Amino acid sequence: MAVLAIIGGSGFSSLPALEVRDARRIDTPFGETSAPVTRGLLGAREVLFLPRHGATHQLPPHRIDYRANLWALRACGAEAVVGLAAVGGITEDFGPTVIAVPDQIIDYTWGRAHTLYEGGESGVEHVDMTEPYCSRLRQALIASAARLGQPIVAHGTYGATQGPRLETSAEVARLERDGCDLIGMTGMPEAGIARELDLCYASLAFVVNWAAGKGEGVPITMREIEDNIQVCADRILAILTELAHDAP
Ligand code: HPA
């Protein structure tokens, strides 16, 4: 059975359902990971956990060392990785508290260390990203939610923005014209580097606000975001625990 890793996002600096065994600092060729890699039991299964914003949520999206994080998880044996993602919702099906397993990405980020292949000794590679997420892991997440009777949206295009500020309403209108359903700040380069490392990576996204210009709430508040994280947290943990029984 593949070793499963979970990358925690906003709201998941730790994984309450995890029975922790140990936490290890991993040396990587790129620098420090966001936090030590925790190993523990989720249900009966050993999983790895790493909070991408750090143990105290001290790292903004553009300061996260995505390469170090994914490299370290692979060095610890991970083969499949679920990236948790608190996101803004753009299109009708993606209102606050909806949980989704997106199937496409558009990358609007810039200036981030986004590849393992920088030329020179690391070489030049062009990995295929036609389907940016691992279909086996997506299906396993969708099946886990179905077994729990939890409604989720089993598709969606994730727009990865630079942050840390939220978007203008014109930016969101542009993302919608581009075909985005969801917005987050960390989905790239995480998915691209995961593919370069040959990791089976999927995103489990939960909507914590209507994107700018889409809902009634002006301005979007951290309070609203935090409240919706709380509403989603137990359902996310239940899906992950169910997945741990059954992941590819
Ligand atoms: N935009 C970008 N990232 C986000 C949002 C948003 O509205 N909500 C949560 N992460």
Side-chain angles (χ1 to χ4, degrees):
M1 200 188 274
V3 176
L4 176 67
I6 296 162
I7 299 180
S10 295
F12 290 95
S13 295
S14 65
L15 207 59
L18 191 69
E19 197 182 300
V20 175
R21 288 286 152 91
D22 60 38
R24 285 172 57 206
R25 216 159 248 302
I26 308 292
D27 278 335
T28 86
F30 307 105
E32 289 207 3
T33 57
S34 299
V37 175
T38 300
R39 191 182 294 269
L41 286 180
L42 190 59
R45 178 162 181 171
E46 192 172 276
V47 301
L48 303 168
F49 176 74
L50 181 56
R52 72 164 76 76
H53 293 283
T56 55
H57 205 276
Q58 75 275 21
L59 292 169
H62 62 292
R63 292 260 178 240
I64 293 166
D65 193 332
Y66 298 90
R67 295 190 300 187
N69 287 350
L70 288 157
W71 192 95
L73 289 174
R74 207 178 99 148
C76 290
E79 294 159 88
V81 179
V82 176
L84 300 184
V87 296
I90 302 177
T91 50
E92 203 183 332
D93 290 348
F94 296 86
T97 76
V98 164
I99 293 178
V101 179
D103 60 353
Q104 276 296 331
I105 309 177
I106 301 179
D107 187 6
Y108 301 90
T109 66
W110 50 271
R112 302 180 180 189
H114 67 290
T115 179
L116 306 176
Y117 298 111
E118 298 279 14
E121 280 188 7
S122 60
V124 176
E125 284 283 341
H126 304 285
V127 292
D128 176 74
M129 281 290 274
T130 310
E131 298 296 335
Y133 297 112
C134 172
S135 137
R136 273 179 300 131
L137 189 54
R138 289 190 62 254
Q139 294 312 324
L141 283 163
I142 293 163
S144 298
R147 282 197 300 278
L148 296 169
Q150 281 211 30
I152 62 162
V153 180
H155 64 91
T157 296
Y158 175 115
T161 56
Q162 180 70 356
R165 66 167 177 83
L166 297 171
E167 297 71 32
T168 68
S169 53
E171 287 169 334
V172 170
R174 183 186 113 181
L175 265 72
E176 184 169 17
R177 285 194 299 277
D178 284 355
C180 295
D181 299 297
L182 304 161
I183 324 180
M185 300 175 189
T186 57
M188 285 296 264
E190 198 165 89
I193 296 168
R195 180 60 53 84
E196 289 184 343
L197 283 166
D198 207 19
L199 290 162
C200 171
Y201 174 90
S203 171
L204 183 59
F206 48 103
V207 182
V208 293
N209 58 281
W210 278 118
K214 288 291 164 187
E216 308 286 297
V218 179
I220 298 163
T221 62
M222 282 312 292
R223 175 73 200 268
E224 170 192 0
I225 289 177
E226 279 157 16
D227 286 352
N228 285 326
I229 288 174
Q230 286 318 312
V231 173
C232 294
D234 286 348
R235 284 155 61 217
I236 292 288
L237 289 174
I239 293 172
L240 291 174
T241 306
E242 182 67 24
L243 176 78
H245 287 307
D246 183 50

